[in-house]
Amino acid sequence: MIQLKVNGAEQSFDGDPEMPLLWYLRDVLALTGSKFGCGIGLCGACTVHVNGQATRSCVTAMRDTAGKEVTTVEGLEKNGLHPVQKAWMQINVPQCGYCQSGQIMQAAALLNSKKKPSDHEIDEAMSGNICRCGTYQRIRAAIKAAAGEMA
Amino acid sequence: MSAIENASRRRFLTGGIIAAGALVLGVRYYSRFSSGDTLPHDTNADHATLHPNVYLGIDPDGTVWIVASRSEMGTTSRTTLPLVVADELDADWKRVKIEQAIGDKRYGDQNTDGSHSIRSFYDAMREAGATARFMLIQAAAQQWGVPAAECETDLHVVVHRSTNRKAGYGELASAAAKLPVPKREELKFKAKSAWRYVGKGEVSYDLEALVTGKAIYGMDARVDGMVYASVEHPPVLGGKVKSYDDKEALKVAGVRQTVPIDPYQPPPAFQPLGGIAVIADNTWAAIQGRKKLNISWDNGANETYDSDAYKKELRETAHKPGKVVRNIGDADAVFAKAVKVYEADYYVPLLAHATMEPMVALAEFKDGKVTAWAPTQNPQAVQDIVSKELGIAKEDVICHVTLLGGGFGRKSKPDYVAEAAVLSKKVGRPVKVVWTREDDIKFDYYNAVASMYMKAALGADGKPTAWLQRSVFPPIPSIFDVNAVYGDPNHLQQGWTDIPYDLPNLRIENGPAKAHVRIGWLRSVANIYHAFGIQCFTDELAHAAGRDPVDYLLDVIGKPRTIDFKGVEYPNYGAPYDAYPWETGRLRHVTEMVAEKSGWGKRKHGKGADVGIAAHRSFLTYVATVVEVEVNDQGEVRIPRVDTVLDAGLVVNPEATRAQFEGAAVFGTSIVRTGEITATKGAINQSNFQDYPVARITEAPYQTNVYIVDSEAPPAGIGEPGVPPFVAAFCNAIYAATGKRVRDLPITKLGLS
């Protein structure tokens, strides 16, 4: 039995400990904000926070989540919108939107560790997250806007 | 499709109304099909008090329901078309609620492809809004005992200025519903000066849902009792299962059963590919079980397909006389005497769509009927293929359209939805089929591989005196007819037969190519390789003639004129030629404007840095693009800046349009940098983002500036036209910066990355 916290709520899991966290979130808990994109940690659509760190949930086995705190896009902000989400709306980042949960979780983790990231730092931090619609320049602008908001 | 009728009077659904979606665990469970129903006309618009039109309903509380009948894959058409309705209705956008249509021919064409949602539905949306506004005005005039001509509308109200009376749309809805629906000729459309939303635009109706994880894509659809499926497809197109052993697969925890799916009967069209499905309690178990399958395949005739040999074959065909699809003058006579003749071969490999959301669909077969929930660009094609596969009536297939996690043309082809329906029938439960990324890359409908041979003779002034271009590519019709080998007019028109140059001697040919994989539409389609061939060859000629590429391009385009396509089969993207003529003046204008906006010839570029230009019309939109590149000594390419100018006629939503052209530059970046699908012994070599990379934030253009021409022309395409000129301009910039001419995509073949 694996005990973990998801968006603040205690959960226990007695299924296949090799099952990636992504499928537990999506298929078992029906938290579908985290997306399946590649299954091998190359696209970032599945990004969640595990103990505050941006983590690819599609390659994180349930056995490695025991005792951890998992935050998904649904739980990023308890009240209203997180500054990153607000910035995403202000800059009108999403097109199809499918990758944006992952982008937002990655960006929120970046801003937790770096208050005012440079272009280079943004690109480094976000380079694991693919957006096939090509919203990258707006993502960069939105991260800067959110950084200003959070400062 | 734009016929107006009072739909509320012909509503035939009397019982078994579909339950509204309920919230369970934060996930919306979609409405389900109840036995005894035929196609449910179950939109809130259908049930609204005033319902003059299938797209629109107004309730007494003033809520305006607008039906989005086209699919949303990121182009914002789900928002932009309703904006047109709201504008003509004079409705308050904050009181508009958008609902997504199921597949139903009463909405007209729903295939959201070809960049024509706005172009084809702009008038229908205006009519919907104007019809309701007309009826609301009539209702108010009758209540007040004044002539309707003295009444007008303001935001969500009808007003009679001289008596200072006003009534809200909600209060008038009941009275208006009793009035006859006006004919189109009776409608009065708003003057452009009174437009509230058209030309100004709005952000996506779904924006907040998109940033909070609440938006529901096909991947997120759930119903009670559903099981999950992962399918092992034949590795080679047309292959069949010889035998299989599922013992180990069935031992995987959570796996319930395996189910064979019949191979398709040629041609493939939108049929499931066949193979073995693993059915499980969750996606992970299904994928794990699949890995334990032991299948022996009969690969069939396409096992001989090898993309390297095929490339040589295409090139050889391109060097032989082909089918002449356009001819002016006598190019051969000029070539025979010419002093300066230039030739070049251009090549673009197969390309995969790689939408961020892989193919996925949920379907339930019950009581002889199917309900599907799918991220599809074409719900009516879902009805067609599912009805064929299961032998049921089209009307017994309900296709709910979720949001699409990218489409780019892949999701116009509903093989994956048919797969879910077939499996549900066999399993007796709702089945959600989830394709892995590997399935997506290996079993795509690829953009055609194309080889182009270009030849030009230059006169003393450097201008072409004769021009020959010959393209060879397996055509899209090959998915519907295995013997189709020549380009069809719908794809030859895409930047090939419509070369806009003023050439005294021009011959355009096309050669045959047999398809060994499924070929399909991908964002911009044949325009990608055609614009690459023509616009890069033009750049080669400019350099050969010692001319500035912008000046040269304008010179070959020639004087502003309307192209005469006499003797050429030119479908003009299905649009009437008188409304959408090919005007070279508009291509000149965007070219001149992008030169100015980009500072062409005025900005200094450092070592290994320079700019390139290309101009192209596709989907009735004129675009010119300047790309700036920097290439370092290691051959690493950066794109610091892109400037692009578009003339798409009337642009309803400028903000969404800019976003589409920014995205097109990134899409084009992927094509040029790394886009390549290859095959060995008929099987696709690539599998995921490590071997089919797409542009990341570090590789994409740093800044794309988009300029929209203020145009009086009718609306044209937005989603696709940005890609083709970007691809060519990027390659031309690489030449300017490095002296390396890109003729074979991707640029990894030149040692660039």
Side-chain angles (χ1 to χ4, degrees), chain A residues 34-70:
Chain A
S34 311
K35 302 303 187 201
F36 170 55
C38 70
I40 53 175
L42 288 180
C43 80
C46 65
T47 304
V48 299
H49 295 175
V50 177
N51 286 358
Q53 296 295 310
T55 303
R56 309 290 183 232
S57 65
C58 78
V59 287
T60 303
M62 284 306 291
R63 72 160 80 252
D64 297 326
T65 67
K68 303 273 173 69
E69 289 198 26
V70 175

mmCIF file of all heavy atoms in Angstrom, chain A residues 34-70:
data_model
loop_
_atom_site.group_PDB
_atom_site.id
_atom_site.type_symbol
_atom_site.label_atom_id
_atom_site.label_comp_id
_atom_site.label_asym_id
_atom_site.label_seq_id
_atom_site.Cartn_x
_atom_site.Cartn_y
_atom_site.Cartn_z
ATOM 1 N N SER A 34 -3.348 16.745 -15.974
ATOM 2 C CA SER A 34 -2.003 16.336 -16.390
ATOM 3 C C SER A 34 -2.145 15.438 -17.613
ATOM 4 O O SER A 34 -2.920 14.494 -17.592
ATOM 5 C CB SER A 34 -1.306 15.565 -15.265
ATOM 6 O OG SER A 34 -1.413 16.288 -14.049
ATOM 7 N N LYS A 35 -1.389 15.735 -18.662
ATOM 8 C CA LYS A 35 -1.651 15.078 -19.951
ATOM 9 C C LYS A 35 -0.624 14.015 -20.314
ATOM 10 O O LYS A 35 0.549 14.104 -19.944
ATOM 11 C CB LYS A 35 -1.682 16.132 -21.071
ATOM 12 C CG LYS A 35 -2.718 17.223 -20.874
ATOM 13 C CD LYS A 35 -4.138 16.691 -20.734
ATOM 14 C CE LYS A 35 -5.143 17.826 -20.720
ATOM 15 N NZ LYS A 35 -6.424 17.429 -20.114
ATOM 16 N N PHE A 36 -1.092 13.077 -21.113
ATOM 17 C CA PHE A 36 -0.212 12.078 -21.720
ATOM 18 C C PHE A 36 0.233 12.604 -23.085
ATOM 19 O O PHE A 36 -0.596 12.925 -23.928
ATOM 20 C CB PHE A 36 -0.982 10.767 -21.891
ATOM 21 C CG PHE A 36 -0.257 9.731 -22.718
ATOM 22 C CD1 PHE A 36 1.022 9.316 -22.387
ATOM 23 C CD2 PHE A 36 -0.873 9.173 -23.835
ATOM 24 C CE1 PHE A 36 1.685 8.355 -23.146
ATOM 25 C CE2 PHE A 36 -0.217 8.213 -24.599
ATOM 26 C CZ PHE A 36 1.060 7.801 -24.256
ATOM 27 N N GLY A 37 1.557 12.702 -23.270
ATOM 28 C CA GLY A 37 2.044 13.181 -24.559
ATOM 29 C C GLY A 37 3.028 12.234 -25.209
ATOM 30 O O GLY A 37 2.995 12.020 -26.408
ATOM 31 N N CYS A 38 3.939 11.651 -24.398
ATOM 32 C CA CYS A 38 4.964 10.795 -25.007
ATOM 33 C C CYS A 38 5.229 9.531 -24.213
ATOM 34 O O CYS A 38 5.692 8.547 -24.760
ATOM 35 C CB CYS A 38 6.268 11.581 -25.188
ATOM 36 S SG CYS A 38 7.096 11.941 -23.631
ATOM 37 N N GLY A 39 4.979 9.565 -22.917
ATOM 38 C CA GLY A 39 5.161 8.377 -22.089
ATOM 39 C C GLY A 39 6.596 8.089 -21.704
ATOM 40 O O GLY A 39 6.868 7.130 -20.981
ATOM 41 N N ILE A 40 7.550 8.918 -22.183
ATOM 42 C CA ILE A 40 8.959 8.638 -21.851
ATOM 43 C C ILE A 40 9.696 9.895 -21.372
ATOM 44 O O ILE A 40 10.919 9.989 -21.463
ATOM 45 C CB ILE A 40 9.709 7.980 -23.043
ATOM 46 C CG1 ILE A 40 9.565 8.795 -24.325
ATOM 47 C CG2 ILE A 40 9.209 6.558 -23.260
ATOM 48 C CD1 ILE A 40 10.384 8.244 -25.495
ATOM 49 N N GLY A 41 8.937 10.856 -20.889
ATOM 50 C CA GLY A 41 9.568 12.032 -20.286
ATOM 51 C C GLY A 41 10.230 12.986 -21.264
ATOM 52 O O GLY A 41 11.123 13.748 -20.884
ATOM 53 N N LEU A 42 9.766 12.988 -22.513
ATOM 54 C CA LEU A 42 10.402 13.859 -23.512
ATOM 55 C C LEU A 42 9.597 15.112 -23.846
ATOM 56 O O LEU A 42 10.097 15.995 -24.527
ATOM 57 C CB LEU A 42 10.628 13.077 -24.817
ATOM 58 C CG LEU A 42 11.717 12.017 -24.795
ATOM 59 C CD1 LEU A 42 11.819 11.334 -26.151
ATOM 60 C CD2 LEU A 42 13.059 12.622 -24.402
ATOM 61 N N CYS A 43 8.336 15.176 -23.421
ATOM 62 C CA CYS A 43 7.523 16.312 -23.890
ATOM 63 C C CYS A 43 7.017 17.208 -22.775
ATOM 64 O O CYS A 43 6.623 18.342 -23.033
ATOM 65 C CB CYS A 43 6.362 15.835 -24.761
ATOM 66 S SG CYS A 43 4.939 15.198 -23.847
ATOM 67 N N GLY A 44 6.969 16.716 -21.550
ATOM 68 C CA GLY A 44 6.603 17.584 -20.430
ATOM 69 C C GLY A 44 5.113 17.823 -20.227
ATOM 70 O O GLY A 44 4.726 18.534 -19.292
ATOM 71 N N ALA A 45 4.253 17.234 -21.049
ATOM 72 C CA ALA A 45 2.809 17.488 -20.918
ATOM 73 C C ALA A 45 2.261 16.941 -19.602
ATOM 74 O O ALA A 45 1.214 17.358 -19.146
ATOM 75 C CB ALA A 45 2.058 16.861 -22.096
ATOM 76 N N CYS A 46 2.992 16.016 -18.991
ATOM 77 C CA CYS A 46 2.525 15.328 -17.778
ATOM 78 C C CYS A 46 3.092 15.966 -16.511
ATOM 79 O O CYS A 46 2.958 15.403 -15.426
ATOM 80 C CB CYS A 46 2.970 13.869 -17.838
ATOM 81 S SG CYS A 46 4.772 13.717 -17.776
ATOM 82 N N THR A 47 3.741 17.127 -16.640
ATOM 83 C CA THR A 47 4.494 17.689 -15.516
ATOM 84 C C THR A 47 3.611 18.030 -14.317
ATOM 85 O O THR A 47 2.598 18.711 -14.456
ATOM 86 C CB THR A 47 5.266 18.945 -15.969
ATOM 87 O OG1 THR A 47 6.091 18.588 -17.073
ATOM 88 C CG2 THR A 47 6.128 19.508 -14.849
ATOM 89 N N VAL A 48 4.022 17.518 -13.159
ATOM 90 C CA VAL A 48 3.374 17.856 -11.890
ATOM 91 C C VAL A 48 4.485 18.242 -10.906
ATOM 92 O O VAL A 48 5.665 18.208 -11.263
ATOM 93 C CB VAL A 48 2.587 16.642 -11.324
ATOM 94 C CG1 VAL A 48 1.491 16.209 -12.285
ATOM 95 C CG2 VAL A 48 3.519 15.461 -11.017
ATOM 96 N N HIS A 49 4.107 18.635 -9.702
ATOM 97 C CA HIS A 49 5.112 18.880 -8.669
ATOM 98 C C HIS A 49 5.108 17.712 -7.692
ATOM 99 O O HIS A 49 4.041 17.300 -7.227
ATOM 100 C CB HIS A 49 4.800 20.161 -7.888
ATOM 101 C CG HIS A 49 4.876 21.406 -8.728
ATOM 102 N ND1 HIS A 49 4.531 22.651 -8.257
ATOM 103 C CD2 HIS A 49 5.243 21.588 -10.032
ATOM 104 C CE1 HIS A 49 4.688 23.553 -9.229
ATOM 105 N NE2 HIS A 49 5.117 22.930 -10.311
ATOM 106 N N VAL A 50 6.274 17.175 -7.438
ATOM 107 C CA VAL A 50 6.423 16.183 -6.379
ATOM 108 C C VAL A 50 7.330 16.812 -5.333
ATOM 109 O O VAL A 50 8.484 17.141 -5.637
ATOM 110 C CB VAL A 50 7.013 14.853 -6.901
ATOM 111 C CG1 VAL A 50 7.223 13.872 -5.740
ATOM 112 C CG2 VAL A 50 6.090 14.235 -7.951
ATOM 113 N N ASN A 51 6.778 17.023 -4.147
ATOM 114 C CA ASN A 51 7.472 17.782 -3.091
ATOM 115 C C ASN A 51 8.017 19.099 -3.649
ATOM 116 O O ASN A 51 9.145 19.489 -3.367
ATOM 117 C CB ASN A 51 8.599 16.947 -2.473
ATOM 118 C CG ASN A 51 8.056 15.859 -1.559
ATOM 119 O OD1 ASN A 51 6.835 15.756 -1.361
ATOM 120 N ND2 ASN A 51 8.932 15.031 -1.015
ATOM 121 N N GLY A 52 7.218 19.737 -4.476
ATOM 122 C CA GLY A 52 7.573 21.057 -4.983
ATOM 123 C C GLY A 52 8.443 21.067 -6.217
ATOM 124 O O GLY A 52 8.656 22.117 -6.825
ATOM 125 N N GLN A 53 8.978 19.905 -6.605
ATOM 126 C CA GLN A 53 9.861 19.851 -7.775
ATOM 127 C C GLN A 53 9.069 19.479 -9.022
ATOM 128 O O GLN A 53 8.261 18.543 -8.991
ATOM 129 C CB GLN A 53 10.942 18.780 -7.565
ATOM 130 C CG GLN A 53 11.903 19.051 -6.424
ATOM 131 C CD GLN A 53 12.765 20.271 -6.663
ATOM 132 O OE1 GLN A 53 13.381 20.406 -7.716
ATOM 133 N NE2 GLN A 53 12.801 21.189 -5.701
ATOM 134 N N ALA A 54 9.316 20.179 -10.133
ATOM 135 C CA ALA A 54 8.687 19.809 -11.403
ATOM 136 C C ALA A 54 9.138 18.400 -11.773
ATOM 137 O O ALA A 54 10.327 18.115 -11.809
ATOM 138 C CB ALA A 54 9.074 20.799 -12.494
ATOM 139 N N THR A 55 8.177 17.528 -12.026
ATOM 140 C CA THR A 55 8.455 16.106 -12.226
ATOM 141 C C THR A 55 7.614 15.574 -13.382
ATOM 142 O O THR A 55 6.439 15.921 -13.505
ATOM 143 C CB THR A 55 8.095 15.330 -10.932
ATOM 144 O OG1 THR A 55 8.843 15.874 -9.849
ATOM 145 C CG2 THR A 55 8.393 13.838 -11.074
ATOM 146 N N ARG A 56 8.234 14.739 -14.216
ATOM 147 C CA ARG A 56 7.470 14.118 -15.305
ATOM 148 C C ARG A 56 6.714 12.923 -14.735
ATOM 149 O O ARG A 56 7.333 11.877 -14.438
ATOM 150 C CB ARG A 56 8.403 13.650 -16.428
ATOM 151 C CG ARG A 56 9.372 14.706 -16.924
ATOM 152 C CD ARG A 56 8.695 15.827 -17.692
ATOM 153 N NE ARG A 56 9.711 16.748 -18.192
ATOM 154 C CZ ARG A 56 9.702 18.067 -17.999
ATOM 155 N NH1 ARG A 56 8.706 18.641 -17.333
ATOM 156 N NH2 ARG A 56 10.660 18.819 -18.503
ATOM 157 N N SER A 57 5.429 13.055 -14.608
ATOM 158 C CA SER A 57 4.653 12.001 -13.944
ATOM 159 C C SER A 57 4.553 10.741 -14.796
ATOM 160 O O SER A 57 4.276 9.671 -14.287
ATOM 161 C CB SER A 57 3.257 12.499 -13.581
ATOM 162 O OG SER A 57 2.499 12.800 -14.734
ATOM 163 N N CYS A 58 4.832 10.835 -16.093
ATOM 164 C CA CYS A 58 4.706 9.649 -16.949
ATOM 165 C C CYS A 58 5.857 8.681 -16.755
ATOM 166 O O CYS A 58 5.766 7.531 -17.166
ATOM 167 C CB CYS A 58 4.578 10.046 -18.429
ATOM 168 S SG CYS A 58 6.115 10.524 -19.235
ATOM 169 N N VAL A 59 6.957 9.144 -16.141
ATOM 170 C CA VAL A 59 8.090 8.241 -15.888
ATOM 171 C C VAL A 59 8.404 8.152 -14.385
ATOM 172 O O VAL A 59 9.493 7.762 -14.002
ATOM 173 C CB VAL A 59 9.357 8.673 -16.678
ATOM 174 C CG1 VAL A 59 9.178 8.364 -18.154
ATOM 175 C CG2 VAL A 59 9.683 10.144 -16.454
ATOM 176 N N THR A 60 7.438 8.535 -13.571
ATOM 177 C CA THR A 60 7.608 8.431 -12.119
ATOM 178 C C THR A 60 6.729 7.292 -11.623
ATOM 179 O O THR A 60 5.503 7.385 -11.673
ATOM 180 C CB THR A 60 7.189 9.753 -11.437
ATOM 181 O OG1 THR A 60 7.964 10.819 -11.988
ATOM 182 C CG2 THR A 60 7.396 9.691 -9.933
ATOM 183 N N ALA A 61 7.369 6.201 -11.193
ATOM 184 C CA ALA A 61 6.594 5.039 -10.742
ATOM 185 C C ALA A 61 5.890 5.354 -9.431
ATOM 186 O O ALA A 61 6.407 6.109 -8.598
ATOM 187 C CB ALA A 61 7.515 3.844 -10.579
ATOM 188 N N MET A 62 4.745 4.762 -9.222
ATOM 189 C CA MET A 62 4.010 4.971 -7.979
ATOM 190 C C MET A 62 4.850 4.626 -6.761
ATOM 191 O O MET A 62 4.747 5.291 -5.732
ATOM 192 C CB MET A 62 2.711 4.148 -7.993
ATOM 193 C CG MET A 62 1.609 4.729 -8.858
ATOM 194 S SD MET A 62 1.237 6.448 -8.456
ATOM 195 C CE MET A 62 0.479 6.286 -6.852
ATOM 196 N N ARG A 63 5.718 3.598 -6.888
ATOM 197 C CA ARG A 63 6.535 3.217 -5.727
ATOM 198 C C ARG A 63 7.407 4.387 -5.256
ATOM 199 O O ARG A 63 7.756 4.463 -4.084
ATOM 200 C CB ARG A 63 7.397 1.989 -6.044
ATOM 201 C CG ARG A 63 8.565 2.244 -6.997
ATOM 202 C CD ARG A 63 9.616 1.137 -6.868
ATOM 203 N NE ARG A 63 9.251 -0.076 -7.599
ATOM 204 C CZ ARG A 63 8.872 -1.205 -7.024
ATOM 205 N NH1 ARG A 63 8.788 -1.298 -5.717
ATOM 206 N NH2 ARG A 63 8.567 -2.251 -7.749
ATOM 207 N N ASP A 64 7.755 5.275 -6.174
ATOM 208 C CA ASP A 64 8.619 6.405 -5.818
ATOM 209 C C ASP A 64 7.832 7.611 -5.293
ATOM 210 O O ASP A 64 8.410 8.660 -5.038
ATOM 211 C CB ASP A 64 9.462 6.822 -7.023
ATOM 212 C CG ASP A 64 10.410 5.714 -7.454
ATOM 213 O OD1 ASP A 64 10.880 4.980 -6.555
ATOM 214 O OD2 ASP A 64 10.653 5.563 -8.665
ATOM 215 N N THR A 65 6.514 7.469 -5.189
ATOM 216 C CA THR A 65 5.728 8.601 -4.688
ATOM 217 C C THR A 65 5.321 8.382 -3.230
ATOM 218 O O THR A 65 4.651 9.235 -2.650
ATOM 219 C CB THR A 65 4.446 8.805 -5.520
ATOM 220 O OG1 THR A 65 3.581 7.683 -5.315
ATOM 221 C CG2 THR A 65 4.757 8.966 -6.995
ATOM 222 N N ALA A 66 5.719 7.262 -2.641
ATOM 223 C CA ALA A 66 5.306 6.963 -1.261
ATOM 224 C C ALA A 66 5.754 8.077 -0.320
ATOM 225 O O ALA A 66 6.920 8.482 -0.336
ATOM 226 C CB ALA A 66 5.896 5.622 -0.826
ATOM 227 N N GLY A 67 4.814 8.576 0.432
ATOM 228 C CA GLY A 67 5.121 9.623 1.398
ATOM 229 C C GLY A 67 5.338 10.996 0.797
ATOM 230 O O GLY A 67 5.702 11.934 1.500
ATOM 231 N N LYS A 68 5.122 11.115 -0.494
ATOM 232 C CA LYS A 68 5.387 12.398 -1.157
ATOM 233 C C LYS A 68 4.109 13.234 -1.281
ATOM 234 O O LYS A 68 2.994 12.723 -1.207
ATOM 235 C CB LYS A 68 5.965 12.158 -2.566
ATOM 236 C CG LYS A 68 7.241 11.305 -2.602
ATOM 237 C CD LYS A 68 8.479 12.157 -2.410
ATOM 238 C CE LYS A 68 9.744 11.317 -2.259
ATOM 239 N NZ LYS A 68 10.145 10.624 -3.475
ATOM 240 N N GLU A 69 4.338 14.513 -1.525
ATOM 241 C CA GLU A 69 3.212 15.411 -1.797
ATOM 242 C C GLU A 69 3.197 15.750 -3.277
ATOM 243 O O GLU A 69 4.155 16.322 -3.790
ATOM 244 C CB GLU A 69 3.358 16.706 -0.991
ATOM 245 C CG GLU A 69 3.117 16.475 0.474
ATOM 246 C CD GLU A 69 2.815 17.773 1.224
ATOM 247 O OE1 GLU A 69 2.320 18.728 0.584
ATOM 248 O OE2 GLU A 69 3.106 17.799 2.428
ATOM 249 N N VAL A 70 2.115 15.377 -3.920
ATOM 250 C CA VAL A 70 1.975 15.619 -5.364
ATOM 251 C C VAL A 70 1.000 16.767 -5.582
ATOM 252 O O VAL A 70 -0.071 16.807 -4.965
ATOM 253 C CB VAL A 70 1.454 14.341 -6.068
ATOM 254 C CG1 VAL A 70 1.184 14.624 -7.546
ATOM 255 C CG2 VAL A 70 2.448 13.199 -5.911
#
